[in-house]
Amino acid sequence: MNFLIVSPLPLLAYDTSEINFEGIEEYPHILKCDAACHKVKNITLAKKHRTTRPECQQCHVGISKDPISPFSSPERVFLGRDPTITIKPPPKVSLPATKIYPPSYTLTANSDVRVREGAPKDTGSMVLIPGGKFIMGSNERWDDEAPEYIESVDKFYIDRYEVTNAEYKKFTFDTKREKPYHWPNGKVPRNKKNHPVIYVNWHDASEYCRWRGKRLPTEQEWEKAARGDSGNIYPWGNTWAINKSNHPYKGSTGTEPVGSYPNGKSPYGLYDMSGNVWEWVDSFYLPHPGNNINRGEYGMDKRVLKGGSWFDCLSYGCGLSAPTFNRSFFTPEVKNNSFGFRCAKSP
C-alpha cells in the first residue's frame, strides 16, 4: 500500500501566527512552547526558553540554566518528547568522553539565497569518506537523537548528490519496476529531470542501489558524511542559515534540482545533506547505544530516514529537521513527495 502525504498550505519563512493549543492534552508529545522549534522569529530565544519556561523544560533536554552545548558529555541526563516517559537508570556501559566544543553560535536567517545554476555534470559521482571515529547523536533535543557518543565506521563511498529522476528513469526502464507516482503517464515531469526522485519507498531505494552495484548507506555512514570530523550541527557548520538548503522555513513548495546550494555542502563536499528530500538509509529505527528510554516506535519493522526535506512537520511541533543528527522513521513500504535517497559503496 502506498501512503501519499500532501503538503498543507505553503509554510512562510517568517510565520507570525499564534500556536493553537486546542486539544493539546490529547497529544502530550507536541511541544507547548512558542520557541524555536515552532517559529523562525523566535529561533534565537530557543536556549533561553527551554531553561526558563516550565512547558519547554518538559520537552527539551537539559533543565539546568547553564548553557548547554550540542556536544555536551553523553552522560548528561536528557528528557523525552513525551513528559510521561520514565527515565530509566543510566546505562551500565560507560561511553567514551566527547571532545569539548564551544556553544553553538547565534542562529541567524539570511535571505541572500545563492542557488546553483545549471545541472551538475555528473550526478552519479561518489565521494570517498575516510574511516574512523566521529561524533554521532546529540544531547540537545529529542530523546531518540541521544546520547551523543563516539561512533566509528570503515571508509566508504557515498553519492555526491541525491538520486535524480533522470537516473531513476533508467532503472525503471531496465527493471520494469513501477514508476513513481508523480510521473504523468510514466514520464519524468518537464524540468524535473535533475530533481531528486520522490515517491520511492525503502525497497525501491535499496533495489536501485543494488542495480547500480551499490547499496544504501547505514545511518552511521550517512551521519559521518554529513557531519565531518568536527561533528557539525548542520552540514555547513554550527550556525543555522536560511540560504543553505531547500527547507520549509524559506517557504519551499517542492523539490529543487540537486546541488542547488553549494554553500550548504558537507565537509566532504556532499550536496543536500540537509533539506530537499529525506533520505532512506539501511538501518532499523533503534535507540542509540546507551539510550535506555523505552519508545514504542522502536523496532526492526521501521527504517530510518535522514536529512530533512523541503516539507517539514513544523506545524506538528516536531522541530527543525535540518540538523545532521535528526532522525525520522517509517515502515519500509511508505512513499511520499518528500522521500528520496542516495547510494553508498564499500571500497
Side-chain angles (χ1 to χ4, degrees):
M1 177 182 296
N2 296 339
F3 293 81
L4 306 181
I5 296 181
V6 180
S7 171
L9 295 176
L11 297 170
L12 299 179
Y14 292 93
D15 180 14
T16 57
S17 60
E18 296 297 322
I19 293 178
N20 181 7
F21 294 116
E22 182 178 356
I24 197 73
E25 293 80 11
E26 297 181 43
Y27 305 96
H29 62 287
I30 298 179
L31 300 184
K32 306 177 181 67
C33 53
D34 187 14
C37 285
H38 305 283
K39 297 184 179 180
V40 171
K41 69 186 182 70
N42 289 331
I43 202 164
T44 58
L45 300 178
K47 290 187 176 181
K48 176 182 176 181
H49 285 176
R50 70 165 178 253
T51 61
T52 58
R53 291 189 175 188
E55 65 272 27
C56 293
Q57 292 173 354
Q58 293 179 351
C59 301
H60 286 277
V61 303
I63 58 174
S64 168
K65 293 187 178 181
D66 296 329
I68 301 173
S69 166
F71 306 106
S72 54
S73 172
E75 286 81 13
R76 295 287 291 273
V77 174
F78 50 90
L79 303 180
R81 308 182 183 185
D82 188 337
T84 63
I85 291 178
T86 301
I87 306 299
K88 293 186 177 180
K92 296 180 180 179
V93 179
S94 60
L95 297 174
T98 308
K99 291 176 63 178
I100 302 300
Y101 288 81
S104 57
Y105 298 99
T106 301
L107 303 176
T108 59
N110 189 336
S111 59
D112 182 20
V113 179
R114 296 181 180 179
V115 178
R116 175 177 177 144
E117 297 181 358
K121 294 181 179 180
D122 181 14
T123 56
S125 64
M126 304 189 81
V127 175
L128 178 63
I129 307 300
K133 296 180 179 179
F134 68 99
I135 298 171
M136 184 160 180
S138 172
N139 298 334
E140 187 75 359
R141 293 200 315 175
W142 307 128
D143 56 275
D144 69 341
E145 298 167 350
E148 177 185 294
Y149 69 102
I150 301 298
E151 183 58 87
S152 180
V153 296
D154 295 329
K155 63 181 179 181
F156 64 98
Y157 288 96
I158 189 168
D159 289 346
R160 191 182 303 271
Y161 303 97
E162 294 162 330
V163 174
T164 65
N165 283 311
E167 293 169 325
Y168 197 80
K169 179 182 178 181
K170 301 173 186 176
F171 167 65
T172 60
F173 179 81
D174 284 355
T175 64
K176 309 305 178 185
R177 198 171 188 86
E178 181 183 10
K179 296 178 176 61
Y181 169 83
H182 68 302
W183 292 7
N185 299 318
K187 298 181 179 180
V188 177
R190 180 178 299 180
N191 300 325
K192 296 284 187 179
K193 291 183 178 180
N194 208 45
H195 284 232
V197 65
I198 53 178
Y199 289 109
V200 288
N201 61 32
W202 183 89
H203 300 290
D204 296 328
S206 180
E207 285 301 315
Y208 172 90
C209 291
R210 185 179 304 178
W211 174 75
R212 289 293 305 269
K214 305 178 183 181
R215 58 176 174 78
L216 285 174
T218 65
E219 181 179 8
Q220 291 81 2
E221 289 173 334
W222 192 101
E223 195 160 322
K224 168 71 181 289
R227 303 184 78 165
D229 293 333
S230 299
N232 289 354
I233 299 176
Y234 308 103
W236 54 84
N238 294 325
T239 303
W240 168 246
I242 204 169
N243 67 329
K244 295 186 177 182
S245 62
N246 178 21
H247 59 88
Y249 277 127
K250 61 186 282 291
S252 179
T253 59
T255 60
E256 294 181 10
V258 298
S260 291
Y261 297 88
N263 57 352
K265 290 187 297 185
S266 80
Y268 299 113
L270 305 182
Y271 291 82
D272 303 311
M273 295 296 277
S274 177
N276 218 12
V277 292
W278 287 98
E279 299 180 16
W280 289 107
V281 296
D282 192 15
S283 293
F284 298 114
Y285 183 58
L286 300 171
H288 286 330
N291 183 329
N292 288 331
I293 293 182
N294 183 21
R295 291 179 61 82
E297 298 93 338
Y298 287 142
M300 297 180 69
D301 60 329
K302 305 175 188 70
R303 297 285 183 167
V304 173
L305 298 103
K306 299 284 287 183
S309 75
W310 67 269
F311 171 73
D312 218 330
C313 49
L314 300 175
S315 58
Y316 301 99
C318 70
L320 185 68
S321 70
T324 53
F325 45 76
N326 186 49
R327 313 175 78 197
S328 184
F329 64 92
F330 275 91
T331 51
E333 72 277 2
V334 174
K335 56 178 69 176
N336 67 31
N337 59 0
S338 63
F339 288 4
F341 66 99
R342 74 181 72 212
C343 302
K345 187 176 183 179
S346 300

